[in-house]
Amino acid sequence: MVAESPSRVEPAQPNVPKHIAIIMDGNGRWAQRKHLPRTAGHHAGERNIHRILRACVDRGVEMLTVYAFSTENWGRPQPEVNALMALFEDASERETRNLHKNGVKVCHVGTMYGVSPQLQRSIQKAVETTRHNTRITLNVAFNYGGRAEIVDAIKRIVADGVTPDEIDESLISRYLYTATLPDPDLVIRTAGEMRLSNFLIWQAAYSEYYSTPTLWPDFSKDDLDAAIESYAARHRKFGKL
Ligand code: FPP
């Protein structure tokens, strides 16, 4: 996971995004090109999270959010869904200690609806164990869908008896799964597609967007640097001049 000996953490550089969110696409194509089963691509993708997380620490990025499983992914063939669930469970059991030792705070972004009780426990354990860590935050968007998140927020707003006058953008943000998290500065999508796929659709309203043809398991530190460099050269206007 993150480097064993504390690597020198530079304070966030002015043009380094504080929060990077990644749509990790292309695991299946990566496996296919190597004549491997699709699940081998997901395993390689999981390993790559560690490499990129470490690189983020070294570059002063404070938060990394990865899109690991969308609510739509339940619609994949059952053997692939089962393999992904097994991978999430294995990874959270295997990596929690390591992440904790390396000062990584893990957060879950999404819902537990439909998730096995055992996997729910593993996720809760990872979140609970690492909650006071401050070196970097790793948000795992798992069983996440942007529209479902907004629907859930509206239901809770109504259930709480919030009046129309009280509703503004900041109130809605507080009702999302990401309530306490800052919006992403940069959203990276691998494997070349040019869409958000229901990922952080509220939170990424003003994020910079970067797409690369590189498949996620091959996305390297150099690719990360290219994305950060592209971000650093942009002028964020947030709708103003
Ligand atoms: C999209 O690639 C990727 C996914 C749906 C799964 C991503 C999951 C991981 C990288 C593992 C994460 C693990 C943990 C523990 C957080 P795709 O399969 O749609 O690729 P394709 O478009 O080439 O078929």
Side-chain angles (χ1 to χ4, degrees), residues 72-203:
E72 290 71 33
N73 287 153
W74 291 110
R76 292 193 174 200
Q78 199 57 43
E80 181 165 346
V81 171
N82 293 345
L84 276 166
M85 292 302 141
L87 171 61
F88 295 133
E89 197 165 323
D90 172 60
S92 45
E93 290 293 328
R94 172 169 39 85
E95 290 297 338
T96 296
R97 230 161 68 107
N98 215 3
L99 289 163
H100 185 44
K101 200 168 73 185
N102 287 290
V104 179
K105 176 178 176 169
V106 179
C107 297
H108 169 227
V109 174
T111 159
M112 292 297 194
Y113 184 76
V115 178
S116 77
Q118 203 170 327
L119 179 51
Q120 288 190 35
R121 277 194 296 276
S122 298
I123 294 169
Q124 275 151 3
K125 187 173 153 212
V127 170
E128 187 63 22
T129 306
T130 63
R131 73 186 193 282
H132 295 306
N133 293 337
T134 56
R135 197 168 175 205
I136 190 166
T137 300
L138 173 65
N139 302 317
V140 181
F142 167 75
N143 203 18
Y144 174 84
R147 288 188 175 183
E149 176 183 38
I150 293 169
V151 170
D152 280 356
I154 293 170
K155 283 184 180 167
R156 286 186 296 116
I157 289 169
V158 172
D160 283 353
V162 178
T163 63
D165 285 353
E166 291 171 315
I167 297 177
D168 58 14
E169 292 185 10
S170 116
L171 179 127
I172 292 175
S173 294
R174 290 199 300 279
Y175 273 86
L176 299 176
Y177 305 144
T178 52
T180 58
L181 308 176
D183 289 341
D185 299 300
L186 172 64
V187 176
I188 298 173
R189 182 167 188 145
T190 60
E193 313 294 350
M194 300 287 265
R195 54 178 175 265
L196 273 178
S197 298
N198 208 12
F199 183 50
L200 302 179
I201 52 179
W202 174 278
Q203 300 86 341

Side-chain angles (χ1 to χ4, degrees), residues 26-43:
N27 295 347
R29 276 164 276 178
W30 182 90
Q32 199 175 23
R33 283 180 198 176
K34 292 184 169 344
H35 307 286
L36 294 169
R38 288 178 59 79
T39 48
H42 296 314
H43 282 266

